Amino acid sequence: MIQSQEKPDRVLVRVRDLTIQKADEVVWVRARVHTSRAKGKQCFLVLRQQQFNVQALVAVGDHASKQMVKFAANINKESIVDVEGVVRKVNQKIGSCTQQDVELHVQKIYVISLAEPRLPLQLDDAVRPEAEGEEEGRATVNQDTRLDNRVIDLRTSTSQAVFRLQSGICHLFRETLINKGFVEIQTPKIISAASEGGANVFTVSYFKNNAYLAQSPQLYKQMCICADFEKVFCIGPVFRAEDSNTHRHLTEFVGLDIEMAFNYHYHEVMEEIADTMVQIFKGLQERFQTEIQTVNKQFPCEPFKFLEPTLRLEYCEALAMLREAGVEMGDEDDLSTPNEKLLGHLVKEKYDTDFYILDKYPLAVRPFYTMPDPRNPKQSNSYDMFMRGEEILSGAQRIHDPQLLTERALHHGIDLEKIKAYIDSFRFGAPPHAGGGIGLERVTMLFLGLHNVRQTSMFPRDPKRLTP
Amino acid sequence: MIQSQEKPDRVLVRVRDLTIQKADEVVWVRARVHTSRAKGKQCFLVLRQQQFNVQALVAVGDHASKQMVKFAANINKESIVDVEGVVRKVNQKIGSCTQQDVELHVQKIYVISLAEPRLPLQLDDAVRPEAEGEEEGRATVNQDTRLDNRVIDLRTSTSQAVFRLQSGICHLFRETLINKGFVEIQTPKIISAASEGGANVFTVSYFKNNAYLAQSPQLYKQMCICADFEKVFCIGPVFRAEDSNTHRHLTEFVGLDIEMAFNYHYHEVMEEIADTMVQIFKGLQERFQTEIQTVNKQFPCEPFKFLEPTLRLEYCEALAMLREAGVEMGDEDDLSTPNEKLLGHLVKEKYDTDFYILDKYPLAVRPFYTMPDPRNPKQSNSYDMFMRGEEILSGAQRIHDPQLLTERALHHGIDLEKIKAYIDSFRFGAPPHAGGGIGLERVTMLFLGLHNVRQTSMFPRDPKRLTP
């Protein structure tokens, strides 16, 4: 066991650097035993390091005894080993490894951390495409087994790629916004009042009182706008106590939130948000092509398409498209999930884009703080954004006038006492502003064409799952 | 009220861009009325935009009527106005404004958002240094008034600077780690079991059961290491249900967390973390000099000093220094807050640094998952880092062997059933690893030499404060 006894000079070479440039060099490598196969006086190991792997050969001879071959063959899969070996060019490419041109001729092998002999799931099963599993009658791994054994499931090339790309989404989001002059803020998650009417909120015991978990950072983002920060963003957990067991709902997810003061029209903000999304899509396609292709191997999917500038449709246009396709909907009805999906298909067909904005939602289906459209009292200055036919962002111009805000809260039957601090924030001069909140896991899921948001949350939380 | 009725072509000029280069131009500016002073047929306004301000003059003449001067003079402070005016060079510098060489001769003025006439606090009082307030008998603003009216308090030049710098800390932290090959992860905040013995944890009602708020992302960071991500970081809220009412405790704060697999010695990780801190300090001193000086005006303080590489002291050396200074302490006693402070002074005197690492803490004062020192069973492979004599980071090599981990948990009297999932994470091969968690608000506070962590949390939470 490595307990930091010493600091040896030994250099560990990365598996991805084992190429013909290193042929005939003696190297040390630390990696997992992905598979092992004994064959007479030889043992073939596949050594894995993240998404890279290399073949290693332990053969009875000058450097290895019979005992050593036996020892190597008996190391449990997923154990971590330190191996000293010579890099040798191979005559025939090794198709099953990422390092196809070389193998490692092992001289020494030490177990750094031994895995237990029985794995709760096999990594090869966990990356097998569903279709292949069905056709060939080979095992795949169901979602609960994956999630119950997440530490192993996250080791697959698919999971490594998904979460590296997700890290990239956060990075691109911030990079874009910081370049646009935004300031990052940190907003509290424990709040004193359930702000939006009190539904779907988790209660926390707070010393001798009760408190709540924030359903969004929106009120705090808005306070920052009233406090002259002008353009702010934050990335953090948001909590929804909804008993929804669907492919796209979690009780805790990561919100990418934006709020921004504007000069004359909320489209200034809407366009900044849409451009931020476009910069994320471009950045992912430029910097994460390997990850996209890795995920595609298991979950085949069309490349994500988008337009520049982003397509904007008004709600009434969308209604017309849906009605033409046979859907019956009232002017002030909200979109159901199937109708969202259908609309996504219709938009893709007509405009060839997987990303678009739906603007001017009916006022009736939006929260009380949404600014009404001054030209049509049934409409509002609000928008959603969609990826592959599913909503990933909801946003709006917010009411910045305390009197109108009070009227709208009363209209929605909200207890004014509970939102007093919020309304008071607008009493000392508030610039017009708009913003929106993006669900990180949904963006990852839909960009990659995956089908369940639990695939893009490392440790998902839903009404039935709180572990690991 | 701006309700997005139209999209005028008008360009709004930033206050900081009002310089002699723009002399004699007609410009539009949107800003807050910081002060106004009527004087016969003239009204002088100071218009403020974030930390910048400019003098504006409304005078009866070609462009302004008597009524307009009166109207301007009556606009409540902190209201937001749109002003059209001519930029005019002034003969004598305007010492009270950031834009000292020009003033604005107002031709039109519109109120965009009217502030109420009585402000709960005056911005000029809120930026006055304590000493000046005391000497000259002028008002300053106490902390509760500030926090109760945070939206206004955050508008001061000091607050703007503090939180812009804090945004910079997060940015530099991530920039450094992403350059070092780290992956950003998102860890759940709602957890099923209070992992570290159950003290100081907030309880959440989770549908029909109870859940808890995570006191740190550590267990999840470690699972990511076991899942081959190798180097991970996250920024997110952490929750401590401690009834501590001190200058440096919050019940919710932002953790900057790092976890990393290492090859042979945990110092590999400790040095990466220390270097990350150094990159943050350097970046702040390079990019945020204006903000540092702005805060210094109100809260005078010596510039932050650090060494490269970072000074590392062992716990026993620190004990010797304290004992030499007259402190009585046993070998396995933890540092009290006053002794931490004293040690900070001694280290500053001897080594001229405000930042150092204290390594090799007594095993007895560290959590159960801390790796014991193989050469001294009373010591551990753990470290804290200090800024100006206060702890900002706690870290260690973690035990990656399930058997030793089980033994240590039993030794600490921890219910194994409750940490089963945690221990099980190490059963399928776990690399040696170490990490640490940094308190963001403390770093901001101590870098700037402030005296209360509530100054560096936008909306602080403590046992007595849950609002706004």
Side-chain angles (χ1 to χ4, degrees):
Chain A
M1 181 171 59
I2 290 179
Q3 226 178 325
S4 309
Q5 289 87 338
E6 50 193 8
K7 299 182 180 181
D9 274 337
R10 190 180 295 163
V11 174
L12 294 175
V13 174
R14 304 290 297 175
V15 168
R16 68 162 166 265
D17 296 331
L18 296 174
T19 58
I20 36 173
Q21 277 77 45
K22 285 217 157 32
D24 304 323
E25 284 181 32
V26 177
V27 297
W28 278 94
V29 171
R30 176 171 299 171
R32 286 192 192 272
V33 174
H34 185 63
T35 60
S36 75
R37 186 165 47 90
K39 205 176 163 185
K41 289 180 174 172
Q42 294 186 323
C43 171
F44 287 94
L45 302 171
V46 173
L47 300 178
R48 189 186 82 239
Q49 196 174 59
Q50 298 184 323
Q51 63 270 52
F52 303 98
N53 50 30
V54 67
Q55 181 165 282
L57 172 66
V58 196
V60 175
D62 286 354
H63 289 289
S65 63
K66 221 167 145 180
Q67 283 73 19
M68 183 170 145
V69 174
K70 200 176 162 196
F71 172 79
N74 282 327
I75 299 172
N76 296 331
K77 279 202 280 185
E78 293 299 305
S79 297
I80 297 172
V81 293
D82 273 8
V83 164
E84 188 198 49
V86 186
V87 181
R88 294 284 186 211
K89 191 169 177 300
V90 292
N91 296 325
Q92 208 174 346
K93 277 188 188 279
I94 303 169
S96 57
C97 289
T98 59
Q99 310 313 106
Q100 307 201 328
D101 303 320
V102 296
E103 64 180 8
L104 207 55
H105 287 212
V106 177
Q107 299 176 340
K108 292 179 186 156
I109 185 164
Y110 299 103
V111 174
I112 295 299
S113 176
L114 186 65
E116 295 197 349
R118 279 166 184 258
L119 295 173
L121 60 91
Q122 301 300 321
L123 270 80
D124 286 340
D125 297 343
V127 295
R128 186 164 293 130
E130 280 296 327
E132 198 179 298
E134 277 168 29
E135 273 168 33
E136 303 175 17
R138 299 174 76 181
T140 54
V141 182
N142 75 37
Q143 188 166 272
D144 274 331
T145 305
R146 289 178 187 278
L147 296 180
D148 288 340
N149 302 283
R150 196 59 159 161
V151 165
I152 299 173
D153 185 47
L154 287 175
R155 291 179 193 167
T156 64
S157 51
T158 305
S159 294
Q160 290 279 321
V162 166
F163 291 102
R164 275 166 201 282
L165 182 130
Q166 186 167 75
S167 171
I169 293 174
C170 294
H171 184 58
L172 287 159
F173 177 77
R174 288 184 303 245
E175 186 179 86
T176 306
L177 292 172
I178 285 172
N179 287 341
K180 287 176 188 283
F182 279 71
V183 173
E184 180 176 4
I185 58 168
Q186 307 289 340
T187 68
K189 305 306 163 200
I190 305 182
I191 57 174
S192 62
S195 46
E196 296 181 33
N200 301 334
V201 64
F202 288 113
T203 306
V204 184
S205 299
Y206 196 79
F207 302 99
K208 285 172 188 160
N209 295 304
N210 276 341
Y212 307 92
L213 290 181
Q215 291 164 293
S216 93
Q218 197 206 310
L219 312 188
Y220 292 95
K221 287 189 302 180
Q222 289 191 257
M223 287 195 214
C224 289
I225 296 300
C226 295
D228 290 348
F229 284 95
E230 292 188 1
K231 298 170 167 193
V232 298
F233 73 89
C234 55
I235 296 187
V238 293
F239 306 93
R240 305 277 164 94
E242 273 178 272
D243 199 358
S244 300
N245 295 280
T246 77
H247 78 286
R248 63 177 189 169
H249 286 88
L250 294 171
T251 52
E252 178 182 344
F253 62 91
V254 177
L256 309 181
D257 269 272
I258 292 178
E259 201 73 27
M260 176 180 150
F262 62 80
N263 293 338
Y264 298 107
H265 202 290
Y266 73 96
H267 280 178
E268 298 165 31
V269 180
M270 195 183 76
E271 284 157 14
E272 280 284 54
I273 299 176
D275 181 63
T276 302
M277 293 307 301
V278 166
Q279 298 311 320
I280 292 173
F281 302 147
K282 281 185 171 177
L284 292 177
Q285 289 180 346
E286 277 163 24
R287 305 182 201 171
F288 290 87
Q289 210 43 249
T290 313
E291 282 76 9
I292 294 168
Q293 282 165 18
T294 302
V295 178
N296 275 349
K297 267 185 220 158
Q298 181 170 7
F299 300 100
C301 155
E302 293 290 306
F304 190 81
K305 287 200 167 179
F306 54 94
L307 302 175
E308 272 197 85
T310 301
L311 173 68
R312 184 186 75 94
L313 293 175
E314 295 209 354
Y315 199 82
C316 54
E317 296 174 75
L319 275 185
M321 286 170 78
L322 284 169
R323 283 171 182 157
E324 202 176 316
V327 174
E328 285 180 29
M329 265 181 76
D331 286 347
E332 292 181 79
D333 288 351
D334 207 351
L335 283 176
S336 66
T337 307
N339 284 342
E340 270 184 24
K341 267 278 181 203
L342 173 58
L343 184 60
H345 285 296
L346 299 172
V347 170
K348 180 75 185 269
E349 245 170 48
K350 188 163 173 187
Y351 299 99
D352 198 29
T353 178
D354 289 309
F355 178 62
Y356 71 98
I357 306 168
L358 198 54
D359 193 17
K360 297 265 161 233
Y361 268 69
L363 184 61
V365 303
R366 306 298 272 196
F368 74 95
Y369 46 73
T370 308
M371 183 63 89
D373 181 343
R375 283 176 297 194
N376 180 343
K378 293 201 164 180
Q379 283 186 2
S380 65
N381 292 350
S382 69
Y383 42 87
D384 277 7
M385 297 187 190
F386 293 85
M387 287 173 64
R388 300 196 201 260
E390 297 195 41
E391 182 248 310
I392 55 122
L393 171 138
S394 202
Q397 177 178 358
R398 330 293 189 177
I399 298 174
H400 60 285
D401 177 78
Q403 197 182 329
L404 180 57
L405 195 55
T406 305
E407 284 166 24
R408 295 296 305 162
L410 285 173
H411 178 83
H412 277 253
I414 291 169
D415 182 354
L416 290 182
E417 202 42 53
K418 285 200 174 159
I419 55 167
K420 185 174 180 303
Y422 175 58
I423 295 183
D424 286 350
S425 306
F426 303 100
R427 293 197 190 283
F428 305 101
H433 61 285
I438 300 160
L440 173 62
E441 294 85 353
R442 285 194 187 177
V443 173
T444 315
M445 169 179 79
L446 294 163
F447 183 81
L448 289 170
L450 300 175
H451 302 294
N452 195 307
V453 79
R454 288 160 189 79
Q455 293 172 294
T456 57
S457 172
M458 273 195 172
F459 304 99
R461 297 292 180 253
D462 64 33
K464 291 172 185 153
R465 179 173 290 278
L466 258 180
T467 55
Chain B
M1 181 171 58
I2 291 179
Q3 225 177 326
S4 308
Q5 290 87 338
E6 50 193 9
K7 300 182 181 181
D9 273 337
R10 191 180 295 164
V11 173
L12 295 174
V13 174
R14 304 289 297 174
V15 168
R16 68 163 167 266
D17 295 332
L18 296 174
T19 59
I20 37 175
Q21 277 78 43
K22 285 217 155 38
D24 304 324
E25 284 181 32
V26 176
V27 297
W28 278 95
V29 171
R30 177 171 299 171
R32 285 192 191 272
V33 175
H34 185 63
T35 60
S36 76
R37 186 164 47 89
K39 205 174 161 183
K41 290 181 174 174
Q42 295 186 321
C43 171
F44 287 94
L45 301 171
V46 173
L47 300 179
R48 190 185 82 238
Q49 195 174 59
Q50 297 184 323
Q51 62 270 52
F52 304 98
N53 50 32
V54 67
Q55 181 164 282
L57 173 64
V58 196
V60 175
D62 285 355
H63 290 288
S65 64
K66 221 166 145 180
Q67 283 73 18
M68 184 171 146
V69 174
K70 199 177 161 195
F71 171 79
N74 282 328
I75 299 171
N76 297 331
K77 280 201 278 184
E78 292 300 305
S79 297
I80 297 172
V81 292
D82 273 7
V83 164
E84 187 197 51
V86 186
V87 181
R88 294 286 186 212
K89 190 168 175 304
V90 292
N91 295 324
Q92 207 174 347
K93 276 188 190 280
I94 302 168
S96 57
C97 289
T98 59
Q99 309 314 104
Q100 307 202 328
D101 302 321
V102 296
E103 63 180 11
L104 206 56
H105 288 212
V106 177
Q107 298 176 342
K108 290 179 188 156
I109 184 163
Y110 299 103
V111 175
I112 294 299
S113 175
L114 186 64
E116 295 197 348
R118 276 164 187 258
L119 296 173
L121 60 91
Q122 301 300 319
L123 270 80
D124 286 340
D125 296 343
V127 294
R128 186 164 292 130
E130 279 297 326
E132 199 179 297
E134 277 168 30
E135 273 168 33
E136 302 175 17
R138 298 174 76 181
T140 54
V141 182
N142 75 38
Q143 188 168 270
D144 275 331
T145 306
R146 288 178 188 278
L147 296 180
D148 288 341
N149 301 283
R150 196 59 159 161
V151 165
I152 299 173
D153 184 47
L154 288 175
R155 291 179 192 168
T156 65
S157 50
T158 305
S159 294
Q160 291 278 321
V162 166
F163 291 102
R164 276 167 201 282
L165 182 130
Q166 186 166 76
S167 170
I169 293 174
C170 294
H171 183 58
L172 287 159
F173 176 77
R174 288 184 302 246
E175 185 180 88
T176 306
L177 292 172
I178 285 171
N179 287 340
K180 287 175 188 284
F182 279 71
V183 173
E184 180 174 5
I185 57 168
Q186 308 289 341
T187 67
K189 305 306 163 200
I190 305 182
I191 57 176
S192 62
S195 45
E196 297 181 32
N200 300 334
V201 63
F202 287 113
T203 306
V204 184
S205 299
Y206 197 78
F207 302 100
K208 286 171 188 161
N209 295 304
N210 275 343
Y212 307 92
L213 290 181
Q215 290 165 292
S216 93
Q218 198 206 310
L219 311 188
Y220 292 95
K221 287 189 303 181
Q222 290 190 257
M223 287 195 214
C224 289
I225 296 301
C226 295
D228 291 348
F229 284 95
E230 291 188 0
K231 297 170 166 194
V232 298
F233 73 90
C234 55
I235 296 186
V238 293
F239 306 92
R240 306 277 163 95
E242 273 178 272
D243 198 358
S244 299
N245 295 279
T246 78
H247 78 286
R248 63 176 190 173
H249 285 89
L250 295 171
T251 51
E252 177 181 344
F253 62 91
V254 177
L256 310 181
D257 269 273
I258 292 178
E259 202 74 25
M260 175 181 152
F262 62 80
N263 293 338
Y264 298 108
H265 202 289
Y266 73 95
H267 281 179
E268 297 165 31
V269 180
M270 193 183 77
E271 284 157 14
E272 280 284 54
I273 299 176
D275 180 62
T276 302
M277 293 307 301
V278 166
Q279 299 311 320
I280 292 173
F281 302 147
K282 280 184 169 177
L284 292 178
Q285 289 180 345
E286 277 163 23
R287 305 184 202 170
F288 290 87
Q289 210 43 249
T290 313
E291 282 75 8
I292 294 169
Q293 282 164 19
T294 302
V295 178
N296 276 348
K297 268 184 218 157
Q298 182 170 8
F299 300 101
C301 155
E302 294 289 306
F304 190 81
K305 287 199 166 178
F306 55 94
L307 303 174
E308 271 197 88
T310 301
L311 174 68
R312 183 185 77 93
L313 294 175
E314 296 210 353
Y315 200 81
C316 53
E317 296 174 76
L319 275 186
M321 286 171 79
L322 284 169
R323 283 172 181 156
E324 203 176 315
V327 173
E328 286 178 28
M329 266 181 76
D331 286 349
E332 292 181 79
D333 288 352
D334 206 351
L335 283 176
S336 66
T337 307
N339 285 342
E340 269 185 25
K341 267 277 182 201
L342 173 59
L343 183 61
H345 285 297
L346 298 173
V347 170
K348 180 75 184 271
E349 245 169 47
K350 189 164 171 187
Y351 300 98
D352 198 29
T353 178
D354 289 309
F355 177 63
Y356 71 97
I357 307 168
L358 198 53
D359 193 16
K360 297 268 161 228
Y361 267 68
L363 183 60
V365 303
R366 306 297 273 196
F368 75 95
Y369 46 73
T370 308
M371 183 63 88
D373 181 342
R375 283 176 296 193
N376 180 344
K378 294 202 164 180
Q379 283 186 3
S380 64
N381 292 350
S382 69
Y383 43 85
D384 277 8
M385 297 189 191
F386 293 85
M387 286 173 65
R388 300 195 201 258
E390 297 195 41
E391 182 249 309
I392 55 121
L393 171 138
S394 204
Q397 177 179 358
R398 331 292 190 178
I399 298 173
H400 60 286
D401 177 78
Q403 196 181 331
L404 179 58
L405 194 56
T406 305
E407 285 165 25
R408 295 295 307 162
L410 286 174
H411 178 83
H412 277 255
I414 291 168
D415 182 353
L416 289 182
E417 202 42 54
K418 286 200 172 156
I419 55 168
K420 186 174 179 303
Y422 175 56
I423 295 182
D424 286 349
S425 306
F426 302 100
R427 294 198 190 281
F428 306 101
H433 61 286
I438 299 161
L440 173 62
E441 294 85 351
R442 285 194 188 178
V443 173
T444 315
M445 168 179 80
L446 294 164
F447 183 81
L448 290 170
L450 300 176
H451 302 293
N452 196 308
V453 79
R454 289 161 188 79
Q455 293 172 294
T456 57
S457 172
M458 273 194 172
F459 304 100
R461 296 293 180 252
D462 65 33
K464 291 172 185 155
R465 178 173 290 280
L466 256 180
T467 54

